[in-house]
Amino acid sequence: MTDSQLIREIKEGNVELYSELMSRYQRKILAFVYHMLKSSNMELLAEDLCSETFYKAFRSLHSFREVDASFSTWLYTIARNTVLSELRKQRSGNVPLEESGVVPIAPMENAPEHAVLRSERVMLVRDAINNLPEKQRSAIILREYDQLDYQEIAGILGQSVSSVKSLLFRARSSVKTQLEPYFFEPMYEPYEGMKNR
């Protein structure tokens, strides 16, 4: 059954089918929520907020209209709003909200020094993402980690597709600028440092 068929059946009273709908999206929504909470050291709340997202979606399913958005876009929007609401509750209003994720990196050798370098790179990228404004962070997480298309991201963020592309361009440029000192250092710098000793 498609999402649409399942939703139609659920709306007609076959509420037990909601578990099928949940099983299709639970891992993705949990990962998204986890990424948003990680930099705030609140990832232990991920499962609770994921459950809350599905509960809210179930309670509001009667108002869901496919002409407005796909079910997945609607669900991600609920998840994002649930997390942002929780972060606002946990923090004072003047502290920026932070979201982050694990950066996918190609497999390297299992030597300890490679693991340390990889861990440092992940931290640098995560910190760079954490420094982005909230909408840019959300856009980059949805695009790079959740692999959503521009239209879906636009629906979740309440933006136009062109605005999403602009957000992503600015986010990637900012991350690149922040990381340049770490990954693109001139070759002569170590030698200059050695001369000063």
Side-chain angles (χ1 to χ4, degrees):
M1 288 177 101
T2 64
D3 288 354
S4 303
Q5 291 169 327
L6 277 172
I7 291 166
R8 202 174 306 118
E9 289 286 325
I10 294 164
K11 284 181 175 181
E12 289 174 6
N14 296 323
V15 292
E16 68 279 356
L17 291 176
Y18 190 65
S19 61
E20 169 63 27
L21 206 52
M22 279 181 65
S23 68
R24 291 182 184 185
Y25 292 100
Q26 195 156 16
R27 287 180 65 196
K28 287 183 177 182
I29 294 298
L30 181 59
F32 174 67
V33 169
Y34 181 85
H35 288 317
M36 289 185 71
L37 294 170
K38 190 169 176 69
S39 67
S40 299
N41 295 318
M42 293 171 54
E43 58 265 46
L44 292 176
L45 292 176
E47 287 188 20
D48 290 343
L49 295 184
C50 181
S51 297
E52 188 177 333
T53 296
F54 282 103
Y55 176 70
K56 287 178 178 176
F58 179 72
R59 288 194 54 194
S60 303
L61 200 58
H62 63 280
S63 65
F64 169 70
R65 292 170 10 113
E66 276 189 285
V67 293
D68 298 329
S70 69
F71 178 73
S72 63
T73 299
W74 184 71
L75 193 58
Y76 270 103
T77 303
I78 293 171
R80 178 174 179 265
N81 291 338
T82 300
V83 171
L84 292 178
S85 175
E86 184 63 29
L87 287 171
R88 276 191 291 272
K89 273 191 236 170
Q90 298 288 333
R91 295 172 159 231
S92 62
N94 59 1
V95 178
L97 301 174
E98 295 182 1
E99 308 159 351
S100 72
V102 177
V103 178
I105 293 180
M108 299 175 75
E109 293 178 46
N110 291 330
E113 60 269 19
H114 289 294
V116 170
L117 285 173
R118 184 173 66 217
S119 175
E120 286 178 3
R121 286 183 189 134
V122 168
M123 290 294 288
L124 289 170
V125 173
R126 188 171 70 196
D127 289 346
I129 290 171
N130 288 342
N131 290 330
L132 296 173
E134 189 274 320
K135 280 197 177 173
Q136 288 182 25
R137 284 192 301 252
S138 292
I140 207 162
I141 289 169
L142 291 166
R143 181 68 179 166
E144 301 300 333
Y145 304 123
D146 294 316
Q147 303 292 305
L148 299 186
D149 63 35
Y150 295 123
Q151 193 69 48
E152 289 174 302
I153 298 169
I156 292 166
L157 298 181
Q159 303 282 317
S160 66
V161 170
S162 61
S163 294
V164 166
K165 289 179 180 178
S166 177
L167 282 170
L168 286 168
F169 176 79
R170 290 196 312 269
R172 289 175 180 138
S173 296
S174 177
V175 168
K176 182 181 176 197
T177 301
Q178 291 178 67
L179 294 178
E180 276 178 351
Y182 302 101
F183 294 105
F184 306 106
E185 293 183 58
M187 291 296 290
Y188 60 83
E189 282 189 3
Y191 300 107
E192 286 184 354
M194 288 172 68
K195 287 177 187 173
N196 293 332
R197 285 184 188 169

